[in-house]
Amino acid sequence: MVQRGRIDSWMVFIDPLNPHERTRLGDTPVGLKNVGNTCWFSAVIQSLFHLPIVRKHILSYNMPAVSIISSDTPQCDQTGEQQTSSQILLFMQELRVLFSLLVQSKRKYVNPSKPVEILKSAFTTSSSQFSYQQDVSEFTHKLLEWLQQAFAMQQVEGRQEDGEADGSDREEENPVVRLFYGKCRTEGVNEGNRFTNESSFTSFPVQVRGHHDLHSCLEASLVQREIEPVSNNETTAVKAEQETWFTRLPPILSIELSRFEFNQSEQKAEKIHDRLTFPCTMYMDRYLECNKEDVSARRETVYKLRHKLDVLERQLDRFTSYKSKRVALQDVFDLALGFAQTKRMRAEDCERDDDVMETSPQTSQDINSASSQNAVVVEPCPRHVTDEELRMLHSCLTRWKKEVNEDQQGLREDIEDVMNQINEMYNDPSLTQVCYHLYAVLVHEGEAAGGHYWAYINSLATAKWLKFNDISVSEVTWEEVERESMGDHHMASAYCLIYLDKSQREWINCSDEAYCLSPDMQLVVDKDNQELQDEIKEYDDKQQKSQLVPSFSEDARHLGPHPDVTGNESQPAESTLQGLGFPRVLKEPPEAVTELQSPAVEIQQLVNPTALDNFVSEVFTQQYTAKLSEYKQLSDCFSVANDTRLVHLCCYMISSGASPHLIDLAIYEEVLKHLPLESVPAGSHHAVQNVAYRKLRSLGSDEDRVEIQHWKVHFDKFCRATGYLVVGLEHLEMKCNSAALPYLVKAWDVNSQLVFSESQAGRAAEGVLAEARHYCLKSVNSEALRLFISLSADNVDKAMDLIHNLIIPCLPKLETSSLQSDHAAKENVMETWCALLSGDNLGGSQCIDHDNYYY
């Protein structure tokens, strides 16, 4: 089993100190906090929670009575089966709490620690500690297994209360079995003997290696024409073949893409980054046993067509890679003709060269110098070729080239025709009855040794794609889902696909019943929400007592969650940097605007819809004007030492050249989050917020909201890049160059993701960052050289550590940089080490004086 799943250390999240930043906005889905290598859990749980039928069954789960498992029984006195049952029931209780919080919590994200720890305990033994690289698929299977067992215990209790028998044949009534469990039958021949096996599955595995689309993966997994025989007697072994047919497909079909494999030669696990496409709509008729007779005949035809396609592609390859030299045959003809024509051109060049030499200086030193500067490198050419030979050769090669082009075009047309036949083979109406729609894509980014997980989910309510990345929930396009999940892009690719049976979609989408909480769960949620409100009140009181006025006008009272334009909250730079452990970049914020007063309005007038609308309009106008002036004033105060872009998203947008319309929307969103409701009666708060929310929605289109979300993502990256740069500079100031370089490289990497047309205004200080990383890399490389040439074993080991851990990882980034100075830095590093290893004399002090040798 390939182990994977270690989270990137850069992804660890720390709660912002400001509780307003942890408050849910409107009906935005709630995220899940990453409590240490739990991004896989968040991806799986969110994909289950947003299935209404699953949510309904979890929330309505009735815990079995004491007769099933006694909580008073000491764990040491319980049998192994009782301990497992206790774990499962405890897990179900915590999962109900988690689902309830995801439904009604006022928090932007909730903590899943309790159910995670219980699930982890299933993989912990007395002799070994839990591995954070435990295979993610094992956890998913264990989770579904526990859910199935929990509902089975509930069924047992129900039958006992009704006085029924054991009823093991009623397993199909288990909601987990009905929703997730499929059945298949495998038939084949092994060593001349026919065999049949029946099995069930919750997630059907397919291999990615060697395939380009999902149907190809499924065909390869279900139809194996040759498998290794069981017998060890190779002389009598008979090749076997087998086919697998689905006898029952679950309403929720999970397909596991095996992107991890073990490299036997290198003795390590590797991830397959090959691109694999998958459809939004997939017909499963061709894999059902009820269509076996028809599909078997079509498969045989497809098998022959694929064999024909393979022959055609290999024939075409003979033209495009002639004699396995990876040179097209047409290019061979052109090269041959060029070779034949080379001599005449070179003869003319030599005559011109002789004329130059006749007018050159006459001293021997000058002649030698001039000869070396004006020498002509003669290309290979025929010793003799006549005009008649050239004409004949030109005629033959031109005719042959035309014939080759015709042959290639014919092969390409044949290949296209065969591919069309294959693609149309299963488009018969009789094989397009069982339709499945793509619901979720679970993505892994990284390598086999570790990485990060998130989920894309197609909302059943809005039909829009949402990205669930731990605490962050954002709306995305299908194009982003394709780019980030089909492979061959930033080491990110899908490892699990979840499809829903279209014919049972209404049953799955039982939305009305999926949000009902039991009285005990309602108490839990209400208590948690009250704790958040108390924390907000305590925070606001402390802010008022300390008379701190943040630069983005948080002195206006924030009265709980409000919907915003995009469904996502933009975090101020301070919380982002503090969450990473970085100090605030701005020591003293610029002077804030004067506290805004609520418009004068009679309390009794707020029951009138027109008065409400006028009140909100006046608030929007007044606060918009003040905030726009504030943010522009801050933007005008920009300097490298006092980067006011970090103060707020709007300052960043203004400085980066965002359109005025988007800036206006971002400011209105800020106004909505800080409505001055001091003069509004408490009973009218909700009405005012709703009117303000509708007004904000009317000011921008869906495209505008997507654009603002992009700006928020850029702003977050900008804050991170600046934070990494600040820490790197602090290490550099303390002359800890080895410690500084990773931070500068990380800042460089994040900064390069901020792409703006014809402008670098939205990036962290490019000049400072470039100069710092050059100096730091120069110093580290100099230290590595000094240690290496000392010939001390310990020093050489230290030098190799610096090279492998710090210097080499920088070189590919230097290669892809658009700055000429980066390319020069890379070449100098490589040339210096090449010169040293080749035995060239670098000149003693030059090797260790990093101020002189590098540039």
Side-chain angles (χ1 to χ4, degrees):
M1 181 66 70
V2 178
Q3 292 184 340
R4 55 195 181 271
R6 185 176 298 278
I7 189 172
D8 190 334
S9 60
W10 297 105
M11 298 295 292
V12 175
F13 178 80
I14 300 175
D15 290 323
L17 296 177
N18 186 344
H20 291 293
E21 297 172 21
R22 292 182 267 117
T23 302
R24 183 179 182 179
L25 298 176
D27 58 354
T28 303
V30 178
L32 290 173
K33 180 181 178 181
N34 191 324
V35 292
N37 195 50
T38 58
C39 49
W40 61 269
F41 182 83
S42 299
V44 173
I45 288 298
Q46 292 283 19
S47 65
L48 294 178
F49 171 79
H50 287 277
L51 287 168
I53 187 66
V54 176
R55 186 165 63 242
K56 168 192 168 184
H57 282 297
I58 297 296
L59 292 175
S60 62
Y61 182 79
N62 293 320
M63 300 298 292
V66 180
S67 58
I68 300 299
I69 178 68
S70 175
S71 59
D72 297 331
T73 305
Q75 188 170 356
C76 59
D77 295 336
Q78 296 178 13
T79 64
E81 183 177 350
Q82 287 177 324
Q83 289 184 19
T84 301
S85 299
S86 299
Q87 282 183 311
I88 292 173
L89 294 179
L90 186 58
F91 175 76
M92 284 300 297
Q93 178 66 15
E94 294 300 338
L95 191 62
R96 289 179 66 221
V97 172
L98 183 61
F99 270 43
S100 300
L101 290 172
L102 289 175
V103 170
Q104 291 190 5
S105 178
K106 293 183 179 179
R107 298 181 186 271
K108 180 181 179 181
Y109 55 88
V110 294
N111 191 324
S113 297
K114 291 183 178 180
V116 168
E117 291 304 320
I118 298 171
L119 187 60
K120 285 179 180 179
S121 67
F123 295 88
T124 305
T125 64
S126 57
S127 59
S128 63
Q129 294 298 316
F130 169 76
S131 170
Y132 282 110
Q133 291 183 313
Q134 182 70 46
D135 187 79
V136 171
S137 63
E138 282 191 53
F139 278 103
T140 306
H141 295 158
K142 177 61 69 175
L143 189 150
L144 289 177
E145 177 187 329
W146 276 16
L147 290 178
Q148 186 268 333
Q149 293 180 24
F151 283 101
M153 285 188 280
Q154 186 184 59
Q155 288 177 312
V156 170
E157 183 187 45
R159 287 193 291 270
Q160 288 179 352
E161 290 177 353
D162 297 336
E164 297 181 12
D166 181 38
S168 58
D169 57 333
R170 297 172 61 179
E171 184 184 18
E172 292 293 336
E173 296 181 5
N174 189 308
V176 177
V177 174
R178 290 179 61 194
L179 289 169
F180 295 97
Y181 279 66
K183 292 184 178 180
C184 58
R185 180 179 288 111
T186 301
E187 302 173 344
V189 179
N190 182 41
E191 297 185 339
N193 301 318
R194 298 198 63 82
F195 67 89
T196 300
N197 294 324
E198 294 187 5
S199 58
S200 61
F201 65 90
T202 55
S203 184
F204 193 79
V206 298
Q207 295 295 324
V208 172
R209 177 77 75 185
H211 304 286
H212 301 290
D213 62 83
L214 184 57
H215 277 299
S216 176
C217 294
L218 284 168
E219 287 280 357
S221 297
L222 294 170
V223 182
Q224 301 180 27
R225 292 188 174 271
E226 293 184 2
I227 61 175
E228 295 181 1
V230 177
S231 173
N232 293 325
N233 187 349
E234 296 183 1
T235 60
T236 61
V238 178
K239 289 184 177 179
E241 61 181 31
Q242 68 179 36
E243 289 184 342
T244 300
W245 299 90
F246 294 124
T247 57
R248 177 187 180 273
L249 284 173
I252 303 171
L253 174 62
S254 176
I255 301 176
E256 182 179 323
L257 307 180
S258 300
R259 285 193 171 272
F260 299 88
E261 63 182 16
F262 191 78
N263 188 320
Q264 295 289 349
S265 61
E266 298 187 12
Q267 289 295 298
K268 67 176 184 178
E270 292 182 342
K271 182 180 177 183
I272 303 169
H273 294 286
D274 299 347
R275 180 173 175 80
L276 182 80
T277 61
F278 46 84
C280 285
T281 300
M282 182 168 61
Y283 294 97
M284 298 295 292
D285 306 73
R286 69 173 84 174
Y287 310 115
L288 296 177
E289 188 180 43
C290 59
N291 298 320
K292 177 179 176 180
E293 184 176 347
D294 182 17
V295 173
S296 294
R298 294 174 187 267
R299 277 182 178 172
E300 191 62 32
T301 303
V302 170
Y303 178 76
K304 293 177 180 178
L305 287 173
R306 289 194 183 279
H307 177 71
K308 181 180 180 181
L309 181 64
D310 181 62
V311 173
L312 291 173
E313 288 178 339
R314 282 190 281 117
Q315 286 180 345
L316 181 61
D317 188 61
R318 297 292 177 89
F319 287 96
T320 57
S321 300
Y322 186 65
K323 296 295 184 181
S324 300
K325 302 300 183 184
R326 296 187 179 182
V327 178
L329 187 54
Q330 297 95 317
D331 294 337
V332 174
F333 296 154
D334 292 337
L335 291 171
L337 185 60
F339 170 77
Q341 296 173 339
T342 298
K343 185 174 182 180
R344 288 190 172 185
M345 292 188 299
R346 286 307 176 196
E348 295 171 0
D349 289 342
C350 290
E351 290 176 2
R352 286 196 298 268
D353 185 57
D354 292 339
D355 294 339
V356 172
M357 292 298 294
E358 289 177 2
T359 61
S360 298
Q362 297 303 310
T363 65
S364 59
Q365 182 176 358
D366 291 341
I367 290 176
N368 290 336
S369 175
S371 298
S372 62
Q373 294 176 4
N374 295 283
V376 177
V377 179
V378 179
E379 296 283 351
C381 56
R383 294 185 179 181
H384 177 72
V385 60
T386 65
D387 291 342
E388 181 64 26
E389 290 173 332
L390 276 176
R391 282 194 296 270
M392 181 175 295
L393 182 62
H394 184 273
S395 175
C396 291
L397 291 176
T398 302
R399 174 166 51 86
W400 293 343
K401 184 176 180 180
K402 179 181 178 182
E403 292 171 354
V404 166
N405 285 332
E406 291 174 352
D407 291 343
Q408 282 187 263
Q409 183 60 29
L411 285 171
R412 291 191 177 96
E413 291 175 356
D414 291 343
I415 289 173
E416 183 179 1
D417 180 61
V418 172
M419 291 182 67
N420 288 336
Q421 292 183 54
I422 294 174
N423 293 334
E424 293 296 322
M425 186 60 62
Y426 297 105
N427 283 346
D428 190 279
S430 63
L431 296 178
T432 55
Q433 302 298 312
V434 182
C435 180
Y436 275 76
H437 284 308
L438 184 62
Y439 159 70
V441 181
L442 276 60
V443 177
H444 174 267
E445 181 183 39
E447 294 292 349
H452 182 57
Y453 294 87
W454 67 82
Y456 292 108
I457 296 176
N458 188 236
S459 171
L460 299 183
T462 64
K464 294 181 178 180
W465 283 96
L466 299 175
K467 181 179 181 179
F468 291 84
N469 189 358
D470 290 337
I471 70 167
S472 173
V473 181
S474 57
E475 185 178 320
V476 296
T477 62
W478 168 246
E479 288 71 26
E480 178 178 333
V481 178
E482 283 186 303
R483 184 175 63 252
E484 296 289 345
S485 61
M486 291 190 176
D488 198 26
H489 179 76
H490 291 324
M491 298 190 296
S493 54
Y495 73 91
C496 183
L497 306 173
I498 301 178
Y499 285 85
L500 303 183
D501 187 346
K502 180 182 178 182
S503 65
Q504 303 188 58
R505 188 179 180 92
E506 291 186 5
W507 173 59
I508 294 173
N509 190 21
C510 54
S511 55
D512 293 339
E513 304 174 49
Y515 292 95
C516 299
L517 302 187
S518 60
D520 60 328
M521 290 296 101
Q522 190 67 58
L523 288 175
V524 171
V525 174
D526 291 344
K527 179 181 178 182
D528 184 74
N529 287 337
Q530 187 59 49
E531 289 176 355
L532 176 63
Q533 293 301 318
D534 292 343
E535 187 179 356
I536 291 174
K537 185 177 184 304
E538 181 182 359
Y539 177 84
D540 290 341
D541 290 343
K542 287 183 178 179
Q543 290 292 97
Q544 292 178 1
K545 289 178 180 178
S546 58
Q547 296 181 347
L548 293 177
V549 183
S551 60
F552 37 92
S553 299
E554 281 195 347
D555 53 304
R557 185 180 176 190
H558 191 309
L559 293 174
H562 303 284
D564 80 341
V565 176
T566 64
N568 286 281
E569 183 178 7
S570 62
Q571 296 185 1
E574 184 174 7
S575 66
T576 303
L577 300 182
Q578 287 183 345
L580 292 167
F582 299 145
R584 178 166 177 161
V585 177
L586 297 177
K587 302 303 181 183
E588 293 294 337
E591 184 178 356
V593 296
T594 307
E595 181 178 355
L596 299 173
Q597 301 295 328
S598 303
V601 60
E602 294 294 333
I603 292 178
Q604 60 271 20
Q605 291 179 350
L606 288 179
V607 297
N608 187 325
T610 303
L612 274 174
D613 188 68
N614 292 338
F615 173 76
V616 171
S617 298
E618 189 173 352
V619 169
F620 267 46
T621 302
Q622 182 190 54
Q623 293 210 13
Y624 164 79
T625 304
K627 287 180 179 291
L628 179 62
S629 174
E630 174 190 1
Y631 295 143
K632 284 187 175 180
Q633 179 184 354
L634 288 169
S635 300
D636 293 340
C637 297
F638 169 80
S639 67
V640 175
N642 186 32
D643 195 340
T644 52
R645 293 177 296 174
L646 291 164
V647 172
H648 193 271
L649 169 67
C650 296
C651 296
Y652 178 74
M653 293 175 68
I654 293 172
S655 299
S656 302
S659 70
H661 177 60
L662 291 179
I663 295 172
D664 289 347
L665 286 178
I667 294 176
Y668 283 129
E669 177 185 331
E670 184 68 17
V671 172
L672 175 62
K673 290 190 293 184
H674 299 90
L675 287 173
L677 303 176
E678 294 84 356
S679 62
V680 178
S684 300
H685 286 182
H686 186 65
V688 171
Q689 292 168 358
N690 285 337
V691 171
Y693 176 57
R694 287 194 297 270
K695 183 175 183 62
L696 181 59
R697 296 287 296 185
S698 68
L699 294 175
S701 63
D702 289 341
E703 291 77 11
D704 293 332
R705 287 184 274 277
V706 172
E707 283 297 315
I708 289 181
Q709 177 60 27
H710 289 163
W711 277 103
K712 289 185 177 183
V713 171
H714 276 66
F715 179 58
D716 181 70
K717 290 181 178 180
F718 166 73
C719 293
R720 290 178 178 274
T722 304
Y724 295 132
L725 173 59
V726 168
V727 176
L729 293 176
E730 288 179 347
H731 283 299
L732 205 60
E733 186 178 3
M734 295 183 289
K735 302 191 182 302
C736 300
N737 299 326
S738 299
L741 189 56
Y743 285 99
L744 296 175
V745 171
K746 187 67 178 179
W748 180 15
D749 187 38
V750 176
N751 214 34
S752 63
Q753 298 173 25
L754 300 175
V755 181
F756 294 86
S757 58
E758 307 297 332
S759 173
Q760 307 298 326
R763 294 186 176 184
E766 282 271 284
V768 174
L769 179 56
E771 184 177 350
R773 71 171 178 263
H774 288 165
Y775 175 83
C776 196
L777 177 62
K778 182 167 133 180
S779 302
V780 172
N781 194 50
S782 174
E783 178 64 12
L785 274 171
R786 185 188 66 79
L787 293 170
F788 191 83
I789 64 176
S790 70
L791 301 182
S792 166
D794 291 341
N795 286 344
V796 170
D797 288 341
K798 293 178 182 178
M800 297 307 295
D801 286 340
L802 291 176
I803 293 171
H804 286 294
N805 297 329
L806 297 179
I807 298 175
I808 290 180
C810 288
L811 298 183
K813 296 182 180 295
L814 290 167
E815 177 67 28
T816 57
S817 172
S818 60
L819 298 178
Q820 188 60 37
S821 58
D822 286 336
H823 291 274
K826 170 183 169 282
E827 292 300 323
N828 279 303
V829 169
M830 296 180 65
E831 288 175 3
T832 302
W833 284 99
C834 288
L836 176 66
L837 297 176
S838 65
D840 292 352
N841 183 13
L842 291 177
S845 62
Q846 189 181 12
C847 293
I848 62 175
D849 183 3
H850 63 75
D851 288 328
N852 294 320
Y853 96 88
Y854 193 85
Y855 291 107

